Amino acid sequence: MGLPFAEDAQAAEDCGGAQCSIRSLLPDSLQEKADITPHLMHYLHLVPFKDLGVPAYYDVLTRKLGDLKSPNLIYRVDDEIFVHVFPDPQDARDYYVAIEPAMVENLQPVLEIMERQLLEYVEELSAAETDEEKTAVLIRAVDECFPVAGQPKSSASKNSGGKGGGFGRSRKSHGPAAPSKITAVQQAALKYMLVRNKLGMGALEPVLRDPHIEDISCSGIGSLFIEHKIFKALKSNIAFATHEELDEFVLRMAERIGKPVTYRNPIVDATLLDGSRINIVFGSDVSRQGSNFTIRKFTATPLSIIDITNSGGIDYTMAAYLSMMVAEGMNIFVSGETASGKTTLLNALAAFVPADAKIVSIEDTPEFQVPHPNWIREVVRGSLSADGDGVTMFNLLKAALRQRPNLIVVGEIRGEEGAVAFQAMQTGHAVMATFHASTVEKLIQRLTGNPINVPKAYVDNLNVVVIASSVKLPDGRPGRRVISVNELVGYEKATDSFAFVEVFRWNSATDVHEFTGNMNSYLLENHVAPKRGIPPEKKRLIYDELRRRAGLFEQLASQGTNDFYELYRVFAKAQREGLL
């Protein structure tokens, strides 16, 4: 892992010395953090401040920082990892530099010796059942093999913690003799590297730990490319220099996640240890630039509907409208191109499903998250043998119909399972799904054509189509917006056409969502209003309810109530009390 700038050699020599050349230049917050984090201070001594300027420091990032034209800042990921974001005037992508304990100095020779010494700990590592227990063994191994200078070796073994025998035991030496003592900073870096490489995801560990990253892309040899939630497209200092290095890493990573790749089976879709989705293509014979992989980061706490409104993806009136559609069991598709925010929105809408509902979700890779206790999460499984059939979405969807769910969620409709989903709608099951189509017309074309083949007479069982898109905002920045919300009204057999009403439209010039269906919504007036006991002659009272609900969401946002699970509890209580 290199650095994308020429290091300030003179400042690096002064690091930690009485005549430290940069400490006084740092802002107070960064100075305070660097004083207690040696590898951060070491990194700062390498940065050419004359060229880049002195970075700001943030413990917590805010979305407003995305408005910076030339960001130069360091932020904290956790106690071990920090990130430096700064501009590259020659490129559209800014730099993303991961600052790890291993950056203190070149520990590769010591790490190689430690790898050989681990042969003495194989039995203990094999006996350890959890990653926590294995971590304890690895940390103790470093304490025993590389005690800190000034600390007796026996003391290091005694105080290292962990369970099992071997404290203070005489270990065999494998290969060249290890240095008898190292510094505390070196020992901490060695422990980090060992745990990162053995139990984590190696060089990817910093970007996987960073909660602000959405996508990680390796397109072959060279730098990793990153999609950041705040700073958008970035290029990382994490890079692979040769095809051999990249292939070795991909093979090791695939083994770690239990989905080995080979030249015979070079393409793998899998889930990482943290739940992130990964696609791997192995070998230069199928990928001309060499092995590649793409990771879609898993978010432990999904974005809520308030988070999405705060980012401008939808507005409060649209949030209120969609919440009413979900609560009344309407069938909803969220459609759009890749990375347009479809799954994020679908997940946020799940909080409006009545708390006592039974939900079945069906996905290729598990991304959908709901807070409901009565939730069956089903995932497609590939064949376990060369001639096996595996378990497909089609199989799982047919099984779901026998599980009496109130709601079926399909991760993405692509094939014959689409026809089964519409059969489920026909029999009264509410269905929500994502779909790849950029307009309602294209969605209908795909649904009624091969390989999905939904009969045209069935299509109007789908009530709402939400079109999401990655767009350029009026100020030139990229963003994600719901560009339209549409109600499917019916199919005219005589003219072989479908009638639909656009109830919300995004204005690209003003970045405002327009409620084009105000006082003219087919679903609100003819489906939602009757279910809420509003008589036909007063059906337009439903718009008062819509405005009241939008005001409630705006009030929750102003109070800072935006956590996904907290909002679910608020909505569940409001539903019980008849407020929603």
Side-chain angles (χ1 to χ4, degrees), residues 13-31:
E13 289 181 8
D14 296 338
C15 182
Q19 304 298 321
C20 180
S21 59
I22 66 106
R23 187 178 182 278
S24 61
L25 301 176
L26 303 177
D28 292 344
S29 57
L30 182 55
Q31 186 181 110

Side-chain angles (χ1 to χ4, degrees), residues 30-240:
L30 182 55
Q31 186 181 110
E32 181 181 342
K33 187 62 67 173
D35 283 343
I36 60 174
T37 314
H39 63 278
L40 176 58
M41 180 64 85
H42 180 83
Y43 170 78
L44 290 168
H45 278 77
L46 301 176
V47 178
F49 288 168
K50 292 180 181 178
D51 299 327
L52 301 182
V54 179
Y57 176 76
Y58 294 89
D59 256 334
V60 179
L61 294 181
T62 64
R63 290 196 172 271
K64 289 184 179 180
L65 293 171
D67 296 334
L68 295 173
K69 297 296 184 183
S70 298
N72 180 18
L73 57 89
I74 290 174
Y75 68 88
R76 175 183 175 276
V77 173
D78 54 33
D79 289 338
E80 294 180 311
I81 297 171
F82 297 81
V83 171
H84 186 190
V85 176
F86 59 93
D88 179 2
Q90 309 302 320
D91 192 3
R93 289 180 180 261
D94 290 340
Y95 283 112
Y96 175 103
V97 175
I99 306 168
E100 302 177 88
M103 295 183 76
V104 171
E105 58 182 81
N106 181 18
L107 289 174
Q108 193 59 34
V110 180
L111 189 61
E112 290 174 1
I113 295 171
M114 188 69 236
E115 290 275 1
R116 291 190 288 270
Q117 294 298 112
L118 281 180
L119 292 173
E120 287 295 309
Y121 296 83
V122 169
E123 291 184 7
E124 294 172 57
L125 287 169
S126 298
E129 296 180 355
T130 67
D131 280 355
E132 289 75 14
E133 291 175 351
K134 291 177 182 178
T135 298
V137 174
L138 291 173
I139 289 175
R140 177 159 51 81
V142 174
D143 284 333
E144 290 181 356
C145 297
F146 291 95
V148 173
Q151 179 181 0
K153 191 166 186 176
S154 59
S155 172
S157 297
K158 251 176 228 179
N159 297 326
S160 59
K163 67 179 184 180
F167 287 82
R169 290 186 297 183
S170 175
R171 304 272 182 185
K172 292 180 183 178
S173 177
H174 297 269
S180 58
K181 304 288 182 181
I182 59 176
T183 68
V185 173
Q186 290 172 327
Q187 190 191 69
L190 184 58
K191 290 176 180 177
Y192 170 83
M193 285 286 286
L194 204 60
V195 173
R196 186 197 79 167
N197 292 344
K198 296 297 181 184
L199 303 179
M201 297 302 295
L204 295 183
E205 196 67 17
V207 286
L208 289 175
R209 285 201 208 175
D210 189 343
H212 302 96
I213 291 178
E214 294 182 331
D215 292 274
I216 303 161
S217 176
C218 171
S219 302
I221 57 174
S223 297
L224 291 185
F225 297 101
I226 289 166
E227 292 300 319
H228 199 280
K229 291 180 181 177
I230 295 174
F231 301 113
K232 306 307 177 187
L234 302 172
K235 54 187 176 184
S236 170
N237 66 315
I238 302 169
F240 298 97

Side-chain angles (χ1 to χ4, degrees), residues 491-497:
Y491 169 63
E492 293 291 339
K493 187 174 181 180
T495 59
D496 191 29
S497 61

Side-chain angles (χ1 to χ4, degrees), residues 316-495:
Y316 294 112
T317 304
M318 191 188 297
Y321 172 89
L322 291 173
S323 74
M324 295 171 78
M325 294 298 139
V326 172
E328 298 301 340
M330 297 293 106
N331 300 308
I332 302 172
F333 277 15
V334 181
S335 185
E337 70 267 22
T338 301
S340 58
K342 300 186 298 296
T343 303
T344 300
L345 178 59
L346 192 70
N347 215 116
L349 293 177
F352 299 117
V353 177
D356 59 353
K358 178 179 181 179
I359 300 174
V360 177
S361 64
I362 300 167
E363 301 172 275
D364 270 340
T365 50
E367 291 183 289
F368 192 71
Q369 300 174 70
V370 300
H372 298 66
N374 195 2
W375 169 35
I376 297 175
R377 189 180 205 183
E378 297 182 331
V379 182
V380 169
R381 190 196 71 196
S383 172
L384 298 178
S385 62
D387 55 352
D389 293 330
V391 180
T392 66
M393 276 195 165
F394 181 76
N395 303 140
L396 293 174
L397 191 50
K398 286 201 299 183
L401 296 179
R402 296 190 289 269
Q403 294 165 346
R404 297 186 64 185
N406 300 104
L407 172 66
I408 299 173
V409 178
V410 184
E412 182 186 338
I413 287 180
R414 288 190 294 259
E416 59 181 351
E417 70 277 357
V420 179
F422 276 83
Q423 288 177 11
M425 296 177 195
Q426 283 277 92
T427 57
H429 295 86
V431 175
M432 293 169 60
T434 63
F435 199 84
H436 273 275
S438 57
T439 65
V440 178
E441 293 87 350
K442 291 179 180 178
L443 180 142
I444 293 172
Q445 287 173 8
R446 284 201 60 207
L447 283 176
T448 55
N450 285 324
I452 303 176
N453 294 317
V454 174
K456 291 182 178 180
Y458 283 17
V459 172
D460 62 1
N461 285 290
L462 176 59
N463 305 120
V464 179
V465 176
V466 180
I467 303 294
S469 181
S470 297
V471 300
K472 181 171 283 190
L473 302 177
D475 62 3
R477 293 183 297 115
R480 292 189 179 106
R481 295 290 185 266
V482 167
I483 58 174
S484 72
V485 177
N486 309 272
E487 298 176 350
L488 267 67
V489 178
Y491 169 63
E492 293 291 339
K493 187 174 181 180
T495 59

Side-chain angles (χ1 to χ4, degrees), residues 278-320:
I278 183 169
N279 170 266
I280 300 173
V281 179
F282 175 68
S284 56
D285 55 334
V286 292
S287 177
R288 289 304 180 186
Q289 290 182 267
S291 297
N292 65 76
F293 58 87
T294 303
I295 298 173
R296 181 71 184 272
K297 282 285 298 293
F298 171 83
T299 303
T301 301
L303 290 181
S304 70
I305 203 74
I306 301 298
D307 290 324
I308 297 173
T309 56
N310 287 343
S311 69
I314 62 177
D315 67 5
Y316 294 112
T317 304
M318 191 188 297

Side-chain angles (χ1 to χ4, degrees), residues 317 321 503-505 513-519 524 543 546:
T317 304
Y321 172 89
V503 288
F504 288 93
R505 178 195 304 135
H513 289 97
E514 300 169 351
F515 187 14
T516 52
N518 189 23
M519 309 304 287
L524 283 176
Y543 296 99
L546 181 72

